[in-house]
Amino acid sequence: EVQLLGSGGGLVQPGGSLRLSCAASGFTFSNNAMSWVRQAPGKGLEWVSSIRVSGGGTYYADSVKGRFTISRDNSENTLYLQMDSLRAEDTAVYYCAKNWARWYIDDWGQGTLVTVSS
Amino acid sequence: EIVLTQSPATLSLSPGERATLSCRASQSVSSYLAWYQQKPGQAPRLLIYDASNRATGIPARFSGSGSGTDFTLTISSLEPEDFAVYYCQQCSNWPLTFGQGTRMEIQ
């Protein structure tokens, strides 16, 4: 059974930083691209970032480019999202996601809440 | 950026009825389109990929069609558990984008 256990969320002040982690199990992590998708309270889904199998290719939404960094440790089966210069509009549940085929998402984590507020 | 526009925003139907949801892309995405279902407090679930292929374990009452810019998700006969929010997503071009969602509610 695929499990994606996100952690690292919480309350942070505007301008602050957080690092999200996602521990993967139940599949061969090093064989799958991975992504982060967020959902602001009461809103729809917003793709944030994706990373290829080897970590050599990374992609970002314009709204986070230059502030967020996605990375992975295939030896630890863990996905990361370093979030800097956080803004109120970054407040959301952040889902760790396993990509499949092209860039579809066939498995999702439980979500980690990030709240940016003073 | 490819914008996906879903319609209607809200769909009010009764169990047993047929549901037709639309997703229109601002430019062609070929067949690189997926549909997801999200229930309150839960993560989304993949229903359809490549516009018309059902994901593993998805009931046959869910079907997808379309290519290019116009796509449809059809639920042939609604079950009580189908009342949820549905999103389309394109993976033809970066950035990946989602539609704004269609909320299906019980009439």
Side-chain angles (χ1 to χ4, degrees), chain A residues 43-56:
Chain A
K43 302 298 184 181
L45 301 171
E46 180 187 13
W47 170 77
V48 173
S49 182
S50 298
I51 186 167
R52 290 191 179 271
V53 167
S54 64

Side-chain angles (χ1 to χ4, degrees), chain A residues 28-88:
Chain A
T28 305
F29 181 74
S30 58
N31 287 352
N32 284 88
M34 299 292 294
S35 295
W36 291 96
V37 175
R38 69 184 180 184
Q39 187 168 35
K43 302 298 184 181
L45 301 171
E46 180 187 13
W47 170 77
V48 173
S49 182
S50 298
I51 186 167
R52 290 191 179 271
V53 167
S54 64
T58 57
Y59 306 88
Y60 297 94
D62 284 346
S63 58
V64 307
K65 198 173 295 183
R67 301 187 299 121
F68 289 12
T69 303
I70 190 172
S71 62
R72 64 190 297 160
D73 184 337
N74 287 343
S75 66
E76 295 290 333
N77 293 342
T78 303
L79 177 72
Y80 300 101
L81 185 68
Q82 176 66 40
M83 303 186 295
D84 299 319
S85 303
L86 283 161
R87 305 166 180 167

Side-chain angles (χ1 to χ4, degrees), chain A residues 35 37 39 42-47 49-50 52 59-62 95 99-106 108-110, chain B residues 1 31-34 36 38 42-46 49-51 87 89 91-100:
Chain A
S35 295
V37 175
Q39 187 168 35
K43 302 298 184 181
L45 301 171
E46 180 187 13
W47 170 77
S49 182
S50 298
R52 290 191 179 271
Y59 306 88
Y60 297 94
D62 284 346
Y95 291 103
N99 291 107
W100 171 77
R102 197 170 171 87
W103 287 94
Y104 303 118
I105 297 171
D106 64 342
W108 301 69
Q110 85 283 11
Chain B
E1 170 176 321
S31 293
Y32 299 124
L33 188 109
Y36 299 86
Q38 187 178 33
Q42 296 184 17
R45 175 175 69 146
L46 177 65
Y49 66 94
D50 286 347
Y87 296 94
Q89 176 225 346
C91 54
S92 171
N93 285 35
W94 297 101
L96 305 181
T97 50
F98 288 90
Q100 83 281 13

Side-chain angles (χ1 to χ4, degrees), chain A residues 18-31:
Chain A
L18 275 178
R19 188 195 200 199
L20 302 185
S21 299
C22 174
S25 61
F27 66 102
T28 305
F29 181 74
S30 58
N31 287 352

